[in-house]
Amino acid sequence: MDSSPAKVTSARRGYWPSMAALVVALPAALAAQTWGSIRDWRAQHVRQPVSATLGQPIDYAGASWTVTRFTRLTGIERSTVVLAEFEARAADPKALGAIPCEVRLADGSREWKPTLFADPVLRQQYPEAEQRSLCGGIAFAAMEPGQPARMVASFSIPAAASSLTLSIALYSALPNYLSVSEPQP
C-alpha cells in the first residue's frame, strides 16, 4: 500500500468539496421530492379569508352565499350556543353537493367544530333550525338550480369567548374560505 504524502494530500483535497456539495445537494433533493406535499399541506393549513357580511350575498366556490343568522344563545353551565344559518344559490347544486364542506367558529386563539343540535336551548328557541341541513352534500342534493340550499351550524362554546368569526370552506375553493365576523351589539 502506497501511503506517500502526495497521494494522501490529493485524496484530502477532494473530501471537503464533496462534503460541501453534499450539504447543498441533499436539502435540494429533499425539497424537490417533497414540493408537492408541501403545496398540499399549505392548501390545507394556510388559508385566505374572503370577508363576507351578515345578510349580504357573496360569490364563493361557484355559488352565491349569504349568512342569514349569527346568533348567540345562553347555554347551560357557563356555555353559550352560537347558531349560524346560511344559504347558497348555485347554478349546479349537484356539483357542489359532491364537494366536502367545513364550517368552523373561532375567537382568534381557539376553534370549534359544529355540534349536532344537542343543546336543548337551541331546540326550544329555534326548532325550525333542526329542519335545515348541515353544510354540503344533502343540502345541495335536493335543490334545483338557482334555488337556495339552506344550511345551519350550531356551536357550543365557552360564554367568555368573544370576537367570533364563522368560516365556511369548500375544499374545491381552498385556500380561500368565507369569513363572517360576529355582529357587534
Side-chain angles (χ1 to χ4, degrees):
M1 184 159 54
D2 188 11
S3 59
S4 66
K7 288 198 180 213
V8 172
T9 304
S10 128
R12 286 187 188 162
R13 270 190 218 141
Y15 178 79
W16 291 112
S18 56
M19 290 309 276
L22 185 61
V23 167
V24 171
L26 187 59
L30 288 173
Q33 183 69 25
T34 60
W35 180 249
S37 298
I38 291 169
R39 194 174 55 220
D40 291 344
W41 179 89
R42 187 174 187 275
Q44 292 293 322
H45 293 88
V46 178
R47 298 185 178 184
Q48 299 294 321
V50 175
S51 294
T53 306
L54 183 69
Q56 298 298 312
I58 188 165
D59 291 333
Y60 171 71
S64 177
W65 292 78
T66 306
V67 175
T68 56
R69 181 181 289 167
F70 197 123
T71 308
R72 240 184 227 249
L73 308 167
T74 304
I76 301 171
E77 297 180 18
R78 294 181 292 177
S79 70
T80 297
V81 175
V82 174
L83 175 65
E85 292 183 74
F86 46 96
E87 63 185 34
R89 293 177 189 264
D92 188 2
K94 304 236 183 309
L96 280 181
I99 301 168
C101 180
E102 180 180 273
V103 180
R104 298 201 180 203
L105 188 68
D107 72 351
S109 62
R110 298 171 287 187
E111 190 172 86
W112 299 275
K113 291 183 179 183
T115 59
L116 296 174
F117 306 109
D119 198 291
V121 173
L122 179 63
R123 288 193 307 261
Q124 290 170 355
Q125 292 185 14
Y126 296 98
E128 72 277 4
E130 285 189 278
Q131 304 306 314
R132 296 197 174 192
S133 298
L134 299 175
C135 187
I138 295 172
F140 294 109
M143 294 290 103
E144 294 297 322
Q147 296 297 315
R150 292 186 172 93
M151 296 161 274
V152 66
S154 64
F155 304 87
S156 182
I157 65 171
S162 62
S163 301
L164 299 175
T165 303
L166 175 72
S167 68
I168 303 169
L170 273 83
Y171 286 6
S172 65
L174 288 176
N176 296 331
Y177 68 93
L178 286 180
S179 175
V180 180
S181 296
E182 178 182 30
Q184 298 302 317

